[in-house]
Amino acid sequence: MSINRYLQKYRSALILIIILILLPLFSSEYIKVVAMQIFIFGVFAISYDILLGYTGIASFGHAIFFGTGAYVSALMMLKAGFSFWATIPFVVVSCAGIGLVIGLLTLRFATIYFTIVTLALGQFCYFLLTNALTYQYTGGDDGLHGLPMVLQTKNQMYYLALAFLLAAFFIAKKIISSPLGKTLVAIRENEFRAKMIGYNVLNYRLIALVISGIMAGLAGSFNAAMLRSVFPGFMGASTTIDVILMTILGGMGSLLGPVAGAALVIICQQYLSSYFEWWLLIFGVIFVLVVLFLPQGLISIVYRFRKKNTSGGLN
Amino acid sequence: MTSQLFVNILLSALSLGVIYFLLSSGFALVFSLLRVSNFSHGSLIMWGAYLGIYLVKALSSFSLGLIISAVMIGIILALVEFFLFRRLYGGNPLFELLLTFGLIYILDEAVKLVWGAAIITVDKPSFLQGTVMIYGEPFAILRLYIFGLGAFVCAGLYFLLNKTKLGLIITAGIENKEMVRALGININRVFTFVCWLGGFLAGIAGFVLAYFNGLSPEMGTNQLLNVLVIVVVGGLGSFMGAAIAAVIMGLAEAFIGFYLPELAVLSSFIVMFIVLSIKPSGLLGEE
């Protein structure tokens, strides 16, 4: 493919990336913070989509990984004096371990078991963090604060978060289009058939869960580094609910969808929640409508529109 | 521990178990027939609580408030089945899951809109106040009333499922839906009825819970968690299993709460992890 064709194909993506790179030059501090939140939750939503959209199993406790990543990083930085980058391997190992344990316990059965157990486990972890017994380590409801700076300036943090999102996006894209990704989709479409062909369904689901868990954990520890504090809410139901909203509204089964969903949900949280007390009710209605009539999410409207335009030109 | 104290804790534990049975029976019933895990069950319980207490005040009648609110909660779930679930049967069960998850927002936010986000305390009617002496220890009349209601619901469900033609169709449908359809029975109508019944049970459970814990907009989510843990421990799809698990949860919570109060909140999870690691499909779940 010549450079020209390549540029044409990814024109809108390139324009978007350039806008995002230039954004800190003319935006306020507040917008930068909101944008960083979107980048980090975008990664979190992509990780969720690998599980929900591509593998077809719903976790209702995905915040377990996000919270684990955040707390592992925070605790090691504060109590053991590790640098942020040195905590990353531990985040990866602990999230992979949690994913393996949950998966081995529940994925052998109907996937609804996995959904319910992750929901319960998420609440369990939340109680554990806010319990009096662990207060001296986790700071209870107050969380942990004053994490050391990873980079010197806000702008550098912004670019780190952007790079994190882009890296996660491309890695996820590689995984999805690899034989592994194709197998996951095959299992999602027809578990029985995949089994008959000879795929070990349990193993593939475990791999998906571990990959998704690691990615969510990394998003959590980047979130901790960016806010320089962690809260038990990272582990709580509200974080899980946020990521489900982002993925479903944006569009599961695509990688852009969850990121767009993250942007939508976070912007609404920041700007709408102060005007409408009942914005969540509207979100609930939209959520139900999307599930019923637009299973590919809001991004599928964009895709449909674009397909109409381009197919006219190509034919 | 004296035997008096032991009996007292045991009775509290059992009444807690009865509450858990009321909470989870509707969910278990709907799941066993429709295979839909209704995540909005907790929110329906909350609606039962708020609406029931509101109606008791408005109609100044305890039993009318209970019955009308439970019937109305049933109608909500029946309408949800008729207009929403039906669109998704035969497709990926993931979407049913997500749909009921989305309903949580709508129901929970609607409660906040109608009754506000503050915690509301509920006054017991005079005939539920006070205590009786059982085995030399005082025991709240409210808990006795819960025993009575639990027994009544249990007997009603037993009668419906085992002694009526409709119950026969429901139990047959749980075993094999296609066969029931092939015999010329319109099972979709039975689905709607079972959803109504599930909502009805949620309404009763919420009403009881309101007198026990008061009203708060978080009660739906908290109860959903209890319900899910109970049905998983009992074995998904097994109605009996859920009942047994409810009693076990009540026992665990009361006794762990007595000996290790810090762990009381975690008691149901502890039970769940023990049961699932021994028998991952739950107590009476099919392998």
Side-chain angles (χ1 to χ4, degrees):
Chain A
M1 204 190 301
S2 72
I3 287 186
N4 233 345
R5 289 273 308 275
Y6 197 79
L7 280 178
Q8 213 162 21
K9 192 176 170 202
Y10 293 106
R11 193 178 51 197
S12 30
L14 282 174
I15 292 173
L16 188 66
I17 291 173
I18 289 170
I19 291 175
L20 288 177
I21 288 173
L22 295 178
L23 187 75
L25 302 180
F26 51 80
S27 71
S28 67
E29 288 292 299
Y30 179 64
I31 289 178
K32 261 181 253 173
V33 173
V34 173
M36 286 197 285
Q37 281 278 315
I38 293 174
F39 298 157
I40 286 167
F41 273 86
V43 177
F44 187 31
I46 288 177
S47 83
Y48 191 71
D49 194 35
I50 291 179
L51 207 55
L52 180 76
Y54 289 96
T55 317
I57 45 183
S59 151
F60 280 2
H62 213 52
I64 300 168
F65 298 108
F66 192 78
T68 304
Y71 270 85
V72 166
S73 279
L75 283 172
M76 294 188 75
M77 283 159 87
L78 283 179
K79 313 270 162 165
F82 277 67
S83 79
F84 172 69
W85 299 107
T87 67
I88 295 293
F90 294 91
V91 170
V92 170
V93 169
S94 52
C95 287
I98 291 174
L100 270 181
V101 170
I102 300 177
L104 283 174
L105 266 179
T106 58
L107 283 179
R108 271 179 297 159
F109 305 97
T111 50
I112 180 73
Y113 270 92
F114 175 79
T115 307
I116 293 177
V117 171
T118 47
L119 184 93
L121 201 63
Q123 287 303 303
F124 177 79
C125 292
Y126 179 75
F127 285 137
L128 217 57
L129 282 183
T130 50
N131 202 288
L133 296 173
T134 56
Y135 182 82
Q136 48 173 326
Y137 305 108
T138 63
D141 284 319
D142 306 328
L144 298 166
H145 304 280
L147 268 61
M149 294 271 262
V150 179
L151 293 169
Q152 299 311 316
T153 65
K154 262 264 154 60
N155 277 359
Q156 286 171 340
M157 276 310 286
Y158 174 90
Y159 288 121
L160 178 65
L162 179 60
F164 178 53
L165 172 66
L166 292 177
F169 188 88
F170 286 111
I171 290 171
K173 205 168 171 68
K174 275 271 175 288
I175 294 172
I176 294 310
S177 46
S178 71
L180 169 68
K182 303 282 181 216
T183 315
L184 291 177
V185 172
I187 292 172
R188 178 195 72 189
E189 287 304 314
N190 196 330
E191 184 187 343
F192 185 70
R193 196 173 291 171
K195 218 179 256 169
M196 287 303 119
I197 297 171
Y199 287 116
N200 186 333
V201 170
L202 175 62
N203 279 0
Y204 276 97
R205 283 185 170 153
L206 269 178
I207 292 170
L209 176 59
V210 167
I211 291 173
S212 169
I214 290 172
M215 235 168 145
L218 290 176
S221 62
F222 269 81
N223 200 33
M226 191 198 75
L227 296 175
R228 298 179 59 204
S229 23
V230 289
F231 303 96
F234 286 8
M235 201 76 119
S238 60
T239 307
T240 297
I241 289 173
D242 281 347
V243 79
I244 297 175
L245 261 186
M246 291 166 184
T247 313
I248 298 298
L249 290 186
M252 58 175 178
S254 73
L255 289 177
L256 265 184
V259 182
L264 179 75
V265 170
I266 286 174
I267 289 171
C268 288
Q269 267 171 358
Q270 296 293 334
Y271 294 98
L272 281 188
S273 58
S274 45
Y275 296 108
F276 306 107
E277 266 181 65
W278 30 276
W279 73 285
L280 263 177
L281 181 69
I282 300 173
F283 260 68
V285 174
I286 298 174
F287 184 94
V288 167
L289 291 177
V290 165
V291 169
L292 282 175
F293 301 110
L294 211 63
Q296 308 297 314
L298 296 173
I299 197 124
S300 65
I301 300 175
V302 181
Y303 282 145
R304 225 175 278 172
F305 186 67
R306 276 188 56 172
K307 214 176 245 170
K308 249 179 218 161
N309 276 355
T310 49
S311 67
L314 284 172
N315 296 337
Chain B
M1 186 200 289
T2 64
S3 65
Q4 281 171 339
L5 189 59
F6 179 80
V7 170
N8 197 269
I9 297 176
L10 188 67
L11 282 174
S12 309
L14 288 177
S15 64
L16 206 58
V18 173
I19 293 183
Y20 283 152
F21 168 71
L22 289 173
L23 288 171
S24 50
S25 56
F27 182 97
L29 191 67
V30 171
F31 184 86
S32 58
L33 185 65
L34 279 76
R35 297 278 145 179
V36 172
S37 29
N38 177 17
F39 277 81
S40 65
H41 193 76
S43 306
L44 289 173
I45 289 169
M46 176 165 71
W47 265 90
Y50 274 90
L51 191 65
I53 297 303
Y54 171 78
L55 286 176
V56 165
K57 267 193 202 131
L59 304 170
S60 56
S61 160
F62 184 78
S63 41
L64 266 184
L66 168 64
I67 292 167
I68 295 178
S69 73
V71 168
M72 282 169 76
I73 303 303
I75 292 174
I76 294 178
L77 192 58
L79 288 175
V80 166
E81 196 278 340
F82 192 80
F83 287 109
L84 304 179
F85 287 175
R86 282 204 186 177
R87 295 177 173 276
L88 299 172
Y89 291 146
N92 190 337
L94 200 64
F95 286 102
E96 289 161 4
L97 207 72
L98 293 170
L99 174 72
T100 61
F101 185 82
L103 291 176
I104 297 178
Y105 288 94
I106 301 179
L107 292 169
D108 283 13
E109 292 303 308
V111 159
K112 279 187 213 159
L113 271 186
V114 179
W115 286 287
I119 294 170
I120 301 170
T121 52
V122 176
D123 300 319
K124 296 181 195 90
S126 53
F127 65 91
L128 288 180
Q129 284 169 358
T131 54
V132 286
M133 298 301 274
I134 293 179
Y135 201 59
E137 286 273 336
F139 192 72
I141 291 180
L142 179 65
R143 286 178 186 268
L144 280 183
Y145 150 79
I146 288 167
F147 277 126
L149 199 64
F152 187 72
V153 168
C154 231
L157 278 176
Y158 179 82
F159 179 78
L160 176 78
L161 291 178
N162 292 308
K163 302 286 173 195
T164 63
K165 193 170 171 234
L166 184 63
L168 193 67
I169 297 174
I170 294 174
T171 28
I174 291 171
E175 285 297 318
N176 191 337
K177 274 187 261 308
E178 289 313 310
M179 188 58 87
V180 174
R181 262 199 202 103
L183 291 171
I185 290 160
N186 185 350
I187 202 165
N188 281 357
R189 265 189 231 155
V190 182
F191 280 7
T192 311
F193 172 76
V194 164
C195 277
W196 176 81
L197 191 59
F200 181 81
L201 292 169
I204 292 181
F207 189 81
V208 171
L209 203 67
Y211 284 103
F212 216 70
N213 281 350
L215 302 171
S216 82
E218 275 88 45
M219 67 189 283
T221 337
N222 294 341
Q223 295 316 322
L224 171 67
L225 205 66
N226 279 334
V227 168
L228 292 177
V229 169
I230 287 165
V231 292
V232 164
V233 166
L236 268 171
S238 164
F239 196 72
M240 255 329 263
I244 296 170
V247 175
I248 293 177
M249 286 301 171
L251 288 171
E253 192 171 325
F255 281 95
I256 292 178
F258 183 77
Y259 285 109
L260 303 159
E262 302 92 2
L263 292 180
V265 227
L266 303 179
S267 62
S268 54
F269 301 118
I270 298 169
V271 174
M272 184 175 88
F273 292 133
I274 294 172
V275 171
L276 287 190
S277 46
I278 298 169
K279 190 162 184 296
S281 59
L283 291 173
L284 296 184
E286 58 237 52
E287 284 288 336

